Amino acid sequence: MRVALYHPWVYLKSGLERTLLEIHRRSRHQVTIYTSHYDRDGTYPELAETGVVELPRVSVRRSYGQVLAAAAQIARTRIDPASFDALVISCEGLGDLLTLRNHDKPVLSLCFTPLRAVFDDAYRTRLLDRVGPVGRPLALGLEAGFRAIDRACWRHYSAAVAISDTIRQRIDAGGLWPADRVQVFYPGIDAGRIAAGSGSDPYFLISGRVMWTKNIGLGLEAFALAKKNLPGWRLVVAGMVDEKSRAYADDLMARGREIGDVEFRIGNTDAEMRALYDRCSALLFTPFNEDWGLTPLEAMAAAKPVIAVDRGGPRESVADGVTGFLAPDDPAAFAARMVQLAQDPALAKRLGEAGLERARLFTWDAFVSGLDDAIETMVEERRELVAV
């Protein structure tokens, strides 16, 4: 079966781009990736080998004007329906707009999240605080308009898949699609990489994109509180910084220098990231309301415990007190758990070993197989409907 897989922007080395790559690699169907913004130098180099199809380009900037321009362009973009048998729209916000001109064939929503600025209450609250009282009326007006348009777009879907139960509930709460009709398949890890690390060095790891939604300041302030009880310990922040987040990253690095024993490693290879997971003592997962999160799985696959914010996706991956700890979004709470793990190596080892076993529940093969099944069922149901 020919499957067109669309995502608005493919330009980072994030879990989302990794998911697109793994779908292309592992699907039993012929998958072609389409996007409205492709940066082959900024994302995984392997994606260039998949034959990514570039559609009319949109900006990745998040100002209101540029978002509206991107939305308008996506809404009027059309993919030749003769080139595919099923369309999968991978969306974290604006991708739904592609359905307006592309619903001749069955369309499946692979939902990473509905637009967070509208449908994620935790994100929405922080965003409204950021725009302040002057920008609030405009933000609320645009929000109301987008809600109406997005609900109309969702009527063009024939099936829906969410990457976590957190997202399934967000879809339902937003009035986009009934929860009992949304299937959940978890993006995961390569089963072949599930193996205990080669040791444990005295450092905590924060891994992933360096941007404001990742709440990395929580980890810095927690380490500042914990380090007086942890002589010789370090905090390593490893990931990538895109141009939009450069100022944020610079502020974090300045704070890290004030705290001391904080190391930023930007632009690592996959091998370098694996080495960091293998040698760390524990992972700190700090996003304030993550949709799912691959980095806790990577840590558990290396038999390392995870301390994560007790909200969103980590509630589904991290078993509190078994594979790590779920903690409030509070530096003191994180610091207490960090000290506990550092001073009790037997506990850290026990949690890590349990995480290693739990990681086996979340593999790429299981995710892609489930998605393939959902696509096939959708297409077959459409054929039966047409036949009637």
Side-chain angles (χ1 to χ4, degrees), residues 61 210-212 240-253 266-267:
R61 294 285 180 179
V210 180
M211 60 182 297
W212 75 273
M240 70 162 296
V241 181
D242 66 87
E243 195 56 39
K244 301 191 306 295
S245 301
R246 186 70 56 185
Y248 172 77
D250 289 344
D251 289 343
L252 288 177
M253 292 177 188
I266 306 301

Side-chain angles (χ1 to χ4, degrees), residues 219-286:
L220 293 181
E221 299 310 320
F223 182 68
L225 293 174
K227 68 174 298 191
K228 61 179 176 293
N229 296 310
L230 303 175
W233 282 71
R234 296 176 294 133
L235 174 66
V236 176
V237 181
M240 70 162 296
V241 181
D242 66 87
E243 195 56 39
K244 301 191 306 295
S245 301
R246 186 70 56 185
Y248 172 77
D250 289 344
D251 289 343
L252 288 177
M253 292 177 188
R255 178 58 181 144
R257 289 190 291 271
E258 291 175 358
I259 295 169
D261 299 314
V262 177
E263 179 182 354
F264 281 79
R265 298 190 185 182
I266 306 301
N268 305 278
T269 64
D270 283 351
E272 289 168 337
M273 289 306 306
R274 283 197 295 272
L276 287 171
Y277 282 115
D278 284 347
R279 299 300 305 180
C280 74
S281 290
L283 177 81
L284 307 184
F285 193 64
T286 57

Side-chain angles (χ1 to χ4, degrees), residues 73-259:
Q73 179 59 67
I74 293 170
R76 62 176 179 264
T77 295
R78 182 165 169 79
I79 302 173
D80 180 5
S83 66
F84 61 88
D85 303 303
L87 172 61
V88 175
I89 295 180
S90 156
C91 182
E92 57 177 356
L94 298 186
D96 300 330
L97 296 167
L98 192 79
T99 64
L100 294 174
R101 298 198 63 208
N102 296 274
H103 54 270
D104 308 80
K105 300 285 183 71
V107 189
L108 181 145
S109 171
L110 172 55
C111 190
F112 287 82
T113 179
L115 187 64
R116 297 188 74 182
V118 176
F119 297 102
D120 177 348
D121 288 340
Y123 185 102
R124 176 176 174 270
T125 297
R126 293 196 181 208
L127 182 62
L128 290 174
D129 288 343
R130 284 163 66 93
V131 301
V134 175
R136 188 180 181 90
L138 174 61
L140 292 175
L142 292 173
E143 172 188 305
F146 186 82
R147 280 183 185 272
I149 293 170
D150 205 25
R151 286 168 179 161
C153 291
W154 272 77
R155 296 191 192 105
H156 296 305
Y157 286 125
S158 299
V161 166
I163 63 163
S164 66
D165 191 61
T166 294
I167 298 308
R168 184 176 72 93
Q169 296 298 335
R170 193 177 297 164
I171 291 168
D172 182 64
L176 299 172
W177 196 267
D180 60 1
R181 293 180 58 200
V182 179
Q183 298 182 80
V184 175
F185 301 120
Y186 295 105
I189 49 177
D190 186 341
R193 286 178 53 181
I194 301 176
S198 56
S200 181
D201 293 337
Y203 69 87
F204 297 98
L205 176 65
I206 296 177
S207 172
R209 289 173 62 188
V210 180
M211 60 182 297
W212 75 273
T213 61
K214 303 304 181 182
N215 200 25
I216 293 171
L218 167 63
L220 293 181
E221 299 310 320
F223 182 68
L225 293 174
K227 68 174 298 191
K228 61 179 176 293
N229 296 310
L230 303 175
W233 282 71
R234 296 176 294 133
L235 174 66
V236 176
V237 181
M240 70 162 296
V241 181
D242 66 87
E243 195 56 39
K244 301 191 306 295
S245 301
R246 186 70 56 185
Y248 172 77
D250 289 344
D251 289 343
L252 288 177
M253 292 177 188
R255 178 58 181 144
R257 289 190 291 271
E258 291 175 358
I259 295 169

